[in-house]
Amino acid sequence: MRLQKFLAHAGVTSRRKAEELIAAGRVRVNRRIVRTLGTGVAAGDRVEVDGKQVEIPADFTYAVLHKPQKVMTTLRDPEGRRTVAEMIPKALGRLVPVGRLDYDTSGVLLLTDDGDLAHVLTHPRFGVEKTYRALVRGRLEAADMRAFLAGIRLEEGKTQPAKVRVVRSGAQYSEVDITIHEGRNRQVRRMFEATEHPVVALSRLKFGPISLGELPPGHVREATDREVSALRNIARNTQDDD
Ligand code: URA
């Protein structure tokens, strides 16, 4: 892997800033200052920035799928329904989904072969921030907004406060962005049901630092260095807390 990419992947800084660090003579490989951009590093090499060692991360793959509706978030379905497996390019290797979206929910789904990171990102105790756009029945009133902020009572207990932003309001239907930190089963649908605004359509716009952007449904892109660093930072902070 090229040195600047390695530094970005390791979460040290962005690739561009890494180039500056290298040019400034602040990076050593196997104890020698390296100023040549594009120098290759491999497992076993010792890389230091300002004298501090940077761990070489295993070369995992992180990708983002825009999961369409009517697709299972599994690699195989005993009932023969479509699964996300058919959308993952073979060249990316054996990736698994991080968490789950309902069959009828579309949007951002992170895929990776980094089992440790996947475990941390789905750890209920930590709670990665997730934002969904929901088309719901009816108009949300101030009392509904207060209820979401206070936490909604579901059968297994009250949810944590959710941030809700009305995108478009109408008497028949409203469009709402909702941000939650938990990952209970069908949580968003059940929260809106509890306030008598059943969900008609649901799409995940963000999963932690990963945004859906313009990725068309059914398509996969590799995560950017910046996204991978941000994901690793979440994992690092979580593990420090444990
Ligand atoms: N909440 C839901 O209700 N469904 C999802 O797929 C994700 C969150």
Side-chain angles (χ1 to χ4, degrees):
M1 189 187 293
R2 287 149 67 92
L3 185 53
Q4 58 267 41
K5 182 173 178 183
F6 161 76
L7 291 172
H9 267 222
V12 172
T13 181
S14 68
R15 206 180 289 197
R16 181 183 300 233
K17 291 248 169 60
E19 290 176 358
E20 289 171 15
L21 291 178
I22 296 166
R26 292 169 60 186
V27 181
R28 287 172 195 259
V29 177
N30 300 330
R31 306 198 185 275
R32 297 174 75 153
I33 292 177
V34 168
R35 291 178 195 267
T36 315
L37 296 179
T39 300
V41 285
D45 283 341
R46 181 187 173 87
V47 178
E48 291 163 318
V49 176
D50 294 336
K52 267 183 67 182
Q53 187 172 2
V54 179
E55 293 296 329
I56 297 195
D59 205 4
F60 292 120
T61 301
Y62 306 90
V64 186
L65 166 67
H66 182 164
K67 176 195 167 299
Q69 289 182 330
K70 313 272 177 225
V71 172
M72 295 295 288
T73 311
T74 47
L75 299 179
R76 206 173 301 152
D77 183 53
E79 293 176 34
R81 288 168 293 189
R82 294 180 72 197
T83 73
V84 297
E86 68 183 73
M87 292 159 203
I88 306 174
K90 294 269 177 300
L92 292 181
R94 266 191 67 82
L95 305 185
V96 295
V98 177
R100 200 168 59 81
L101 289 174
D102 297 338
Y103 182 65
D104 283 324
T105 302
S106 61
V108 176
L109 187 66
L110 178 65
L111 307 164
T112 187
D113 49 7
D114 182 347
D116 287 346
L117 188 81
H119 176 72
V120 167
L121 295 176
T122 49
H123 195 301
R125 205 189 118 239
F126 187 66
V128 173
E129 188 172 274
K130 290 155 278 231
T131 300
Y132 297 84
R133 175 152 304 173
L135 180 67
V136 302
R137 286 202 196 276
R139 191 192 300 276
L140 266 79
E141 307 292 348
D144 296 316
M145 308 301 271
R146 283 197 296 274
F148 278 101
L149 267 184
I152 303 278
R153 206 169 292 284
L154 300 178
E155 61 186 77
E156 73 280 16
K158 206 168 170 188
T159 67
Q160 285 172 15
K163 270 187 273 171
V164 173
R165 185 177 75 90
V166 175
V167 180
R168 195 167 51 84
S169 186
Q172 297 293 312
Y173 297 100
S174 298
E175 216 169 7
V176 187
D177 285 353
I178 175 167
T179 300
I180 60 172
H181 293 85
E182 300 161 285
R184 305 189 197 183
N185 191 28
R186 298 177 69 80
Q187 180 167 344
V188 173
R189 291 175 194 275
R190 290 191 295 138
M191 288 171 88
F192 280 106
E193 255 161 43
T195 58
E196 297 183 358
H197 295 287
V199 168
V200 179
L202 188 63
S203 177
R204 182 154 71 189
L205 302 181
K206 280 194 82 179
F207 177 81
I210 313 268
S211 294
L212 188 56
E214 300 299 313
L215 190 65
H219 284 246
V220 172
R221 66 167 173 83
E222 284 201 63
T224 64
D225 289 343
R226 191 181 290 245
E227 289 169 334
V228 172
S229 299
L231 289 170
R232 285 229 173 87
N233 277 333
I234 293 175
R236 201 171 295 141
N237 294 336
T238 313
Q239 280 159 350
D240 286 350
D241 287 351
D242 279 341

